[in-house]
């Protein structure tokens, strides 16, 4: 039925457009369809927006992470945790963005001013419009942010917005407390500006300002996009895009080999050699995506300090990175990489030391009295339930590596690597260690990781970790506008996590996208937010 609606819209298009808000594309023969989609009336004009070619350019992108398992069921940025798909696939854009140096730049915004500790003045660019042709002014931004903080618990806690006022192109945001990271949070994918007047469909389709317009979405299967003929920031080269959910890495490799897809995200490292030739191009970069272990402090076995310390000493990070990841990563110390000013270069943590780990357990009373290789204490076997998920193909590899090395020190690791990890994690009696992947400094600022994962009020403090000193440091971090001071506080907070062995940060990812050699403009970014952009092209 949806395809029929789109087809009827194509037949009913008008030759006129809203004036004054067009982008660099060819708008002369396009009209706005349902949910902001635009469709050509003349096949002669449906090619590359910078040429007169009559052939449509189509692109198929295979992605292992576009699914409900990764909390990316739709392109609605106000749904679930992150809203990454809205930004990654070029549907939505934010007021600010993170540049290649992991610094904050205006995007839809033209400029900003900190009026006082509670008040931010943001001026919008004049030429921005939504894909349906409507001007994206301060009032539209206010409507979007008002809805976001109404329905999105994490955003509401992050942004700490008290009031928003709009006047023409000027947005005045007043926070309830000093919010030094407000602009960084507004670059978070959930901050994509969408047209609330157009609404959100039952399928999770929205109208954004990005270079591509969603026209069909089936969760865990595919997303269809078309070129935004009203794009405000230059020409868009690809006419139609399909994002295919291919959660299995081997299947993804076969799809790229066979030509079913033009590019892939999330390829298994073992498959990389298949594409290391002139027919394909790799785009890779170091990121702050951390593969980490989060301890469940409600679990009796994890409450034992010696067990947490032994686990930290019993995971072979170097072996995981160098062997299982084929070098496509780097060993982590703390929550953030050394490449950022608040990173891990001065931190200390446990290193891989099986002999030392065994002594720690022995001294705490964990001994193997029956000779089966697994330690016991007070009649209880030292068994740990490890909860993770498979769509990040590194995580099953980490699980198998940890299972082997922890067994060597007398810990039995019972693995549960499942797509149902989110619902299981809410039952604290069902697991002992949660293992995931998170972009810890994707906003160019340390606050987001701590506020999301480590504090009493954190939405993803799955294991109910608490530390009085960490809570105090968090208050200092969130009230200081001095960047050097913020960096030092973040380092102290990381050290506290490491001293408690509340988290084990195993590695950071060197992410790669692989494409056919005729694809250009598909570029890996350090924060992992931006993938399908207006620069994407097929030659």
């Amino acid at each position: 039925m949806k395809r029929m609606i789109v087809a009827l819209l194509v037949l009913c298009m008008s030759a006129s457009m809203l004036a004054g808000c067009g982008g660099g594309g060819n708008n002369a023969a396009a009209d706005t369809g349902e949910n902001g989609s635009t469709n050509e009336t003349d096949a002669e004009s449906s090619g590359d927006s910078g040429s007169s070619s009559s052939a449509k350019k189509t692109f198929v992108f295979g992605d292992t992470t576009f699914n409900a398992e990764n909390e990316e069921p739709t392109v609605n940025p106000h749904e679930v945790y992150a809203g990454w798909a809205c930004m990654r696939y070029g549907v939505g854009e934010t007021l600010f963005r993170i540049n290649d140096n992991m610094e904050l730049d205006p995007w839809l915004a033209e400029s900003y001013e900190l009026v006082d500790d509670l008040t931010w003045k943001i001026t919008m660019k004049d030429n921005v419009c939504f894909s349906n042709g409507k001007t994206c002014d301060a009032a539209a931004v206010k409507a979007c942010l008002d809805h976001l903080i109404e329905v999105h618990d994490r955003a509401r806690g992050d942004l700490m917005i008290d009031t928003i006022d709009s006047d023409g192109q000027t947005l005045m945001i007043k926070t309830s407390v000093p919010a030094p990271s407000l602009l960084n949070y507004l670059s978070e994918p959930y901050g994509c500006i969408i047209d609330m007047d157009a609404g959100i469909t039952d399928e999770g389709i929205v109208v954004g300002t990005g270079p591509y317009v969603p026209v069909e979405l089936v969760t865990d299967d595919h997303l269809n996009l078309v070129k935004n003929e009203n794009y405000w920031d230059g020409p868009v080269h690809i006419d139609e895009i399909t994002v295919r959910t291919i959660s299995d890495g081997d299947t993804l490799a076969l799809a790229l080999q066979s030509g079913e897809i033009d590019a892939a995200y999330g390829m298994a490292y073992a498959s990389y050699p298949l594409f290391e030739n002139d027919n394909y191009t790799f785009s890779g970069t170091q990121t702050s995506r951390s593969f980490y272990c989060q301890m469940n402090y409600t679990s009796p076995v994890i409450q034992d300090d010696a067990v947490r310390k032994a686990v930290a000493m019993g995971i072979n990070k170097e072996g995981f990175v160098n062997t299982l990841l084929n070098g496509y990563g780097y060993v982590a110390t703390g929550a953030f990489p050394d490449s950022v000013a608040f990173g891990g270069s001065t931190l200390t943590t446990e290193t891989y030391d099986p002999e030392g780990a065994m002594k720690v357990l022995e001294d705490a009373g964990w001994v193997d009295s029956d000779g089966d290789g697994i330690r016991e204490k007070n009649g209880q076997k030292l068994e740990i339930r490890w909860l993770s998920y498979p769509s990040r193909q590194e995580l099953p590899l980490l699980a198998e590596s940890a299972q082997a090395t922890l067994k060597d020190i007398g810990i039995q690791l019972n693995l549960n690597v499942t797509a149902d990890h989110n619902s299981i994690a809410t039952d604290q009696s069902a697991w002992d260690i949660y293992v995931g992947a998170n972009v810890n400094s994707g906003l160019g600022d340390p606050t987001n990781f701590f506020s999301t994962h480590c504090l009493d009020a954190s939405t993803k403090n799955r294991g109910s970790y608490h530390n009085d000193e960490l809570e105090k440091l968090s208050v200092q971090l969130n009230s200081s506008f001095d960047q050097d001071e913020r960096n030092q506080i973040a380092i102290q907070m990381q050290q506290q996590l490491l001293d408690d062995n509340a988290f084990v940060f195993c590695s950071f990812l060197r992410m790669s996208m692989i494409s056919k050699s005729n694809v250009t403009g598909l570029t890996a970014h350090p924060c992992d937010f931006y993938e399908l952009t207006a620069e994407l092209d097929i030659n």
Side-chain angles (χ1 to χ4, degrees):
M1 175 64 70
K2 189 180 298 180
R3 288 192 177 93
M4 292 177 63
I5 293 172
V6 172
L8 288 171
L9 286 166
V10 172
L11 295 174
C12 297
M13 289 180 294
S14 166
S16 62
M17 297 299 297
L18 292 174
C21 201
N26 179 2
N27 299 324
D31 189 24
T32 303
E34 185 180 33
N35 304 314
S37 64
T38 55
N39 303 280
E40 301 287 351
T41 59
D42 186 351
E44 292 286 324
S45 64
S46 64
D48 183 346
S49 59
S51 72
S52 60
S53 170
S54 62
K56 283 189 176 182
K57 288 189 175 183
T58 62
F59 179 81
V60 183
F61 188 55
D63 193 336
T64 60
T65 66
F66 181 44
N67 48 43
E69 175 185 339
N70 279 284
E71 298 184 276
E72 293 183 36
T74 73
V75 293
N76 173 15
H78 297 182
E79 185 178 8
V80 296
Y81 170 76
W84 281 45
C86 187
M87 185 179 290
R88 276 183 162 177
Y89 305 139
V91 174
E93 298 165 324
T94 48
L95 295 176
F96 301 89
R97 63 168 287 154
I98 307 301
N99 64 28
D100 290 343
N101 296 319
M102 296 302 292
E103 298 166 342
L104 193 72
D105 283 338
W107 196 2
L108 300 182
E110 178 67 33
S111 62
Y112 66 91
E113 176 188 350
L114 179 62
V115 179
D116 56 51
D117 282 359
L118 298 178
T119 309
W120 295 84
K121 177 182 178 181
I122 298 174
T123 302
M124 297 292 298
K125 285 184 169 72
D126 288 330
N127 64 326
V128 177
C129 63
F130 294 105
S131 60
N132 57 11
K134 174 186 170 183
T135 298
C136 180
D137 57 11
V141 174
K142 169 179 164 54
C144 175
L145 295 180
D146 281 344
H147 183 265
L148 173 67
I149 59 179
E150 176 187 349
V151 302
H152 199 288
D153 291 342
R154 183 169 74 93
R156 183 166 56 252
D158 290 343
L159 298 170
M160 302 299 292
I161 291 176
D162 182 22
T163 61
I164 305 175
D165 292 313
S166 63
D167 181 12
Q169 296 300 98
T170 301
L171 196 72
M172 300 295 293
I173 298 179
K174 185 173 182 179
T175 57
S176 56
V177 296
S181 300
L182 176 68
L183 304 187
N184 299 83
Y185 277 123
L186 289 174
S187 72
E188 171 97 17
Y190 64 48
C192 284
I193 303 304
I194 59 175
D195 182 8
M196 295 311 304
D197 288 341
I200 302 168
T201 72
D202 292 341
E203 294 80 15
I205 288 178
V206 297
V207 173
T209 63
Y212 304 107
V213 181
V215 293
E216 182 178 78
L217 192 158
V218 177
T219 298
D220 295 336
D221 189 83
H222 72 276
L223 166 70
N224 290 341
L225 304 158
V226 297
K227 175 170 60 177
N228 176 6
E229 298 289 349
N230 290 315
Y231 190 49
W232 64 277
D233 196 22
V236 181
H237 306 296
I238 302 297
D239 296 285
E240 297 176 354
I241 294 177
T242 297
V243 179
R244 286 182 53 191
T245 299
I246 306 177
S247 297
D248 178 73
D250 292 335
T251 304
L252 186 68
L254 289 172
L256 185 57
Q257 276 188 300
S258 68
E260 294 177 39
I261 60 177
D262 298 294
Y265 176 91
M267 186 77 69
Y269 300 109
S271 298
Y272 277 20
L274 298 172
F275 305 100
E276 292 172 345
N277 56 66
D278 292 342
N279 295 321
Y280 301 94
T281 300
F282 282 71
S283 177
T285 188
Q286 301 284 9
T287 74
S288 67
R289 182 176 290 282
S290 171
F291 300 104
Y292 67 93
C293 304
Q294 183 176 25
M295 303 296 172
N296 182 357
Y297 273 70
T298 70
S299 162
V301 68
I302 295 300
Q303 289 171 1
D304 190 322
D305 294 344
V307 171
R308 297 196 310 278
K309 185 172 183 177
V311 169
M313 299 171 73
I315 294 177
N316 186 354
K317 300 178 184 178
E318 289 82 0
F320 171 60
V321 169
N322 296 330
T323 303
L324 297 179
L325 300 189
N326 293 340
Y328 284 94
Y330 49 112
V331 171
T333 301
F336 310 116
D338 293 349
S339 57
V340 297
F342 44 88
S345 59
T346 63
L347 299 171
T348 59
T349 190
E350 308 298 342
T351 58
Y352 182 52
D353 182 4
E355 295 296 327
M358 287 190 283
K359 185 177 187 307
V360 167
L361 291 172
E362 292 277 352
D363 292 347
W366 291 98
V367 296
D368 180 15
S369 58
D370 59 9
D372 68 350
I374 305 302
R375 298 174 182 274
E376 316 97 35
K377 182 178 181 180
N378 300 327
Q380 177 189 355
K381 287 284 187 182
L382 184 46
E383 298 183 11
I384 292 176
R385 297 162 298 171
W386 178 285
L387 177 62
S388 189
Y389 50 96
S391 62
R392 278 279 166 195
Q393 53 102 11
E394 300 86 358
L395 294 177
L397 300 178
L398 178 57
E400 294 169 7
S401 174
Q403 186 179 52
T405 57
L406 292 179
K407 184 177 181 181
D408 290 341
I409 65 175
I411 299 176
Q412 179 174 319
L413 209 61
N414 299 323
L415 304 181
N416 187 9
V417 182
T418 173
D420 198 29
H421 65 108
N422 284 319
S423 61
I424 294 174
T426 62
D427 179 5
Q428 292 179 319
S429 68
W431 59 279
D432 302 306
I433 298 177
Y434 179 88
V435 186
N438 186 70
V439 177
N440 286 352
S441 56
L443 305 182
D445 185 85
T447 302
N448 187 46
F449 170 73
F450 298 116
S451 65
T452 302
H453 295 274
C454 310
L455 304 174
D456 292 349
S458 296
T459 56
K460 294 212 169 187
N461 185 354
R462 302 175 182 89
S464 298
Y465 169 67
H466 171 81
N467 181 282
D468 288 342
E469 181 64 20
L470 195 75
E471 295 289 329
K472 293 177 184 176
L473 288 169
S474 175
V475 173
Q476 296 176 32
L477 178 67
N478 291 329
S479 60
S480 174
F481 288 86
D482 183 282
Q483 192 58 56
D484 290 338
E485 181 182 18
R486 292 172 59 75
N487 294 342
Q488 290 305 309
I489 294 171
I491 290 170
Q492 293 179 59
M493 294 177 74
Q494 289 173 86
Q495 190 61 61
Q496 188 65 65
L497 296 177
L498 298 174
D499 290 346
D500 289 345
N501 293 304
F503 288 77
V504 178
F505 302 100
C506 299
S507 71
F508 295 105
L509 173 68
R510 177 177 173 80
M511 67 88 73
S512 294
M513 292 185 286
I514 308 173
S515 62
K516 295 177 181 178
S517 59
N518 64 338
V519 174
T520 59
L522 185 66
T523 305
H525 191 277
C527 75
D528 205 7
F529 289 162
Y530 318 110
E531 292 181 3
L532 305 185
T533 67
E535 287 72 34
L536 179 67
D537 202 356
I538 296 180
N539 301 302

